[in-house]
Amino acid sequence: MVEKILANLEKSNCATDSTFMQAVSEVLRSLTPTVESDSRYERYAILERLVTPDRVIQFKVQWVDDQNRVQINNGYRVQFNNSLGPYKGGLRFHPSVTLEMLKFLAYEQIFKNSLTGLPIGGAKGGSDFDPKGKSDFEIMNFCRAFMRELHQYIGARVDVPAGDIGVGLREIGFLFGEYRRITRNYEGALSGKPYAFGGSLMRPQATGYGVVYFAAEMLKEEIQESLEGQICSVSGAGNVALHTIEKLQHLGAKVITCSDSEGTIYDPEGIDMDLLKRIKGNERHLSLEHYIQKKDTAVYTKKEDYPHDGHTVWSYPCFAAFPCATQNELTLSDAARLIENGCIAVIEGANMPTTPNAIDLFHENGILFAPGKASNAGGVAVSEFEMSQNASMEKWDFDKVDHKLNAIMRQIYKRVALTAKENGKERNFVDGANIAAFKRIAEAMILEGI
Ligand code: NDP
Ligand code: 2IT
């Protein structure tokens, strides 16, 4: 049945759908024994319905830059599935954004959101707008134009967008301001908002901190290890990477790498977080090359000098690796280098950063591999806490949110590990995550009827 669905899907999607097909194939292959064990899944066509988005919204975004030139970008929102709750998922602003990419991200989001156990469905959106090099006013003009089109499709109980690559506090602030002005409705129609108007404490930290909470629980339960004193490699230098590094350091780990789209930093003394934040924090997007100007023990490798088949960031010996930049950034040869250099665990901070053949190699070599839909779910979980605070007009303190985040990440790990074990796939957290997430969504889809 799974092979038939994949073949039909390949026929109906054009060849450029590769990341979407990659995500769907991985999930469907994990589910083969599960769907064969319960005839209701076939009777209700659950798999077929789960690979087709409910709705794809595409719009033109017209805005004016600082030179008074008219600019045009594509905007999208893919509302994939809302059986468990309002559509929920980030917005990505990056020149590489296409509808196919957002379909893959929205599809992954359905499963991630299901794993949290919270009442949220799956969606994703964004634009091919490039925020790099734009002034604050240009970012604001773009966000306002984007929301002029998007506002009619979202709402606190309908669809609640948040941040992703290129979209942080500043962008969500501008988007929310415009939503409120157009609709006159002061409701939590976006999450990841500035604290001043309804944002939750800890949302900026949530994804990265959650990744580390997941890692700590997995290491403790599986191999009775902690992160204290361990050497860790992190890729990326954005929201997820910075907070992953920060929490790893809180727990006593030594983080030796970070990267951006232009190069990699290796610092054998451990990343200097204050320095890194001065380069990359608070909407600053300076090149990581600035790091070695202040710290001469560090090494900077430009992208042009990476190994032809991979990324320099994965070539240093480490205990655990945390890919936190973007999809397919950890390849088969990167995986081989990590294993050769003694890495024993890989915990994804980004969405689908590891290629399928690299995941297979990790599994074959007994590496503990945590898929992003489980390990990076802390961001969307705290987004749901923000929705909850907005709905009840409450404000929770930092410790309360942190405590709830920690509990939810440990719970996700437990559910994923147990599901893997119960299905004869012990320590295969990819299958564990896909099966556990699927069962919850499928149950809701069956109960609500067609
Ligand atoms: P940011 O925009 O804050 O940071 C992205 C980082 O990744 C930057 O260092 C950027 O480098 C680098 N990067 C982006 N695109 C590429 C590329 N094509 N090649 C190499 N490097 C790249 O985004 P986030 O930290 O929010 O997101 C990172 C990942 O985490 C994404 O996969 C996202 O989907 C995922 N995620 C994010 C969540 C969130 O709450 N924000 C929640 C769960 C997952 P540069 O600055 O040079 O572009
Ligand atoms: O990929 C993700 O989970 C996010 N970008 C966060 C989504 C959200 O709604 O907080």
Side-chain angles (χ1 to χ4, degrees):
M1 175 168 43
V2 162
E3 293 307 327
K4 202 172 116 206
I5 293 171
L6 282 173
N8 283 344
L9 201 63
E10 247 163 66
K11 247 192 281 162
S12 61
N13 286 280
C14 58
T16 54
D17 263 9
S18 58
T19 47
F20 177 56
M21 288 303 299
Q22 182 183 330
V24 173
S25 309
E26 181 211 277
V27 172
L28 292 193
R29 297 222 153 92
S30 293
L31 294 179
T32 304
T34 309
V35 289
E36 281 165 6
S37 70
D38 187 335
S39 61
R40 293 178 310 156
Y41 298 142
E42 194 169 356
R43 182 148 28 100
Y44 285 92
I46 298 294
L47 288 190
E48 288 91 331
R49 288 162 61 204
L50 254 184
V51 296
T52 310
D54 288 348
R55 201 164 297 103
V56 169
I57 298 150
Q58 179 166 359
F59 46 89
K60 181 168 65 179
V61 187
Q62 316 177 81
W63 57 285
V64 178
D65 70 14
D66 286 348
Q67 281 73 46
N68 281 329
R69 286 181 308 223
V70 175
Q71 301 283 350
I72 296 161
N73 289 98
N74 295 303
Y76 310 91
R77 186 74 179 163
V78 179
Q79 297 178 331
F80 220 116
N81 184 292
N82 66 348
S83 295
L84 292 175
Y87 297 107
K88 183 84 197 85
L91 296 172
R92 180 175 289 193
F93 292 170
H94 193 274
S96 65
V97 163
T98 58
L99 178 57
E100 287 68 38
M101 183 193 286
L102 297 175
K103 271 170 66 184
F104 126 63
L105 289 162
Y107 179 79
E108 287 285 286
Q109 198 80 41
I110 313 170
F111 292 82
K112 180 191 311 193
N113 294 2
S114 169
L115 283 176
T116 64
L118 300 168
I120 38 181
K124 200 85 183 189
S127 172
D128 52 9
F129 170 72
D130 186 358
K132 270 195 200 137
K134 303 287 190 301
S135 70
D136 274 357
F137 273 102
E138 287 177 321
I139 300 277
M140 185 179 75
N141 287 342
F142 174 80
C143 288
R144 294 187 61 189
F146 186 87
M147 188 50 80
R148 265 201 309 274
E149 297 300 322
L150 185 68
H151 76 274
Q152 56 196 308
Y153 306 106
I154 66 172
R157 294 293 161 115
V158 180
D159 181 357
V160 184
D164 193 78
I165 290 180
V167 179
L169 273 180
R170 173 182 56 172
E171 291 73 20
I172 295 290
F174 293 146
L175 289 163
F176 182 75
E178 190 64 3
Y179 178 83
R180 180 179 53 74
R181 278 186 287 268
I182 296 173
T183 63
R184 296 184 299 122
N185 197 346
Y186 208 112
E187 58 165 12
L190 290 141
S191 67
K193 300 184 287 298
Y195 184 71
F197 42 86
S200 176
L201 287 174
M202 260 210 81
R203 178 62 188 87
Q205 294 88 346
T207 310
Y209 281 22
V211 167
V212 181
Y213 293 152
F214 187 101
E217 187 69 10
M218 177 179 81
L219 291 167
K220 181 177 79 156
E221 290 296 316
E222 300 293 336
I223 54 169
Q224 293 75 52
E225 279 282 4
S226 86
L227 284 158
E228 195 177 347
Q230 307 287 9
I231 306 283
C232 297
S233 279
V234 174
S235 68
N239 173 278
V240 179
L242 290 182
H243 294 105
T244 298
I245 298 173
E246 187 169 83
K247 185 48 77 178
L248 282 169
Q249 292 182 344
H250 288 171
L251 298 188
K254 187 190 211 183
V255 181
I256 52 161
T257 61
C258 64
S259 64
D260 65 12
S261 53
E262 289 163 19
T264 292
I265 287 289
Y266 165 63
D267 187 342
E269 291 180 349
I271 294 292
D272 179 334
M273 202 54 199
D274 290 337
L275 175 56
L276 184 59
K277 279 189 174 169
R278 286 205 295 280
I279 297 167
K280 291 289 184 183
N282 293 328
E283 274 94 41
R284 301 196 69 172
H285 296 291
L286 301 173
S287 160
L288 278 176
E289 212 163 356
H290 285 79
Y291 190 96
I292 50 166
Q293 289 163 11
K294 299 276 182 223
K295 200 135 183 262
D296 53 17
T297 48
V299 179
Y300 178 68
T301 309
K302 279 198 172 113
K303 194 175 177 185
E304 303 84 272
D305 300 325
Y306 284 2
H308 69 93
D309 54 358
H311 303 75
T312 296
V313 72
W314 309 125
S315 61
Y316 299 101
C318 64
F319 167 81
F322 296 78
C324 295
T326 193
Q327 61 272 10
N328 291 331
E329 53 154 323
L330 198 165
T331 63
L332 181 63
S333 43
D334 293 325
R337 267 188 285 271
L338 281 168
I339 295 168
E340 208 178 292
N341 283 330
C343 175
I344 60 108
V346 176
I347 303 94
E348 293 188 328
N351 285 311
M352 212 170 76
T354 313
T355 59
N357 50 10
I359 298 176
D360 290 345
L361 193 67
F362 287 141
H363 282 149
E364 285 157 21
N365 284 273
I367 306 298
L368 295 171
F369 176 78
K373 72 188 74 172
S375 47
N376 74 29
V380 76
V382 174
S383 273
E384 196 274 353
F385 300 165
E386 183 171 326
M387 290 162 70
S388 190
Q389 291 170 75
N390 292 164
S392 59
M393 301 194 90
E394 283 176 45
K395 285 279 196 190
W396 301 350
D397 64 31
F398 194 94
D399 285 348
K400 176 170 177 172
V401 183
D402 194 27
H403 183 79
K404 283 174 75 78
L405 170 66
N406 191 298
I408 217 163
M409 295 315 297
R410 284 188 289 131
Q411 187 56 41
I412 294 172
Y413 159 74
K414 284 198 171 63
R415 187 173 303 134
V416 165
L418 184 67
T419 307
K421 204 170 175 178
E422 286 172 351
N423 286 272
K425 297 290 185 82
E426 193 157 5
R427 284 200 174 164
N428 185 328
F429 304 128
V430 174
D431 285 345
N434 288 333
I435 296 168
F438 170 77
K439 283 191 165 171
R440 187 169 171 241
I441 306 156
E443 205 52 37
M445 288 172 74
I446 292 167
L447 292 175
E448 72 184 350
I450 306 287

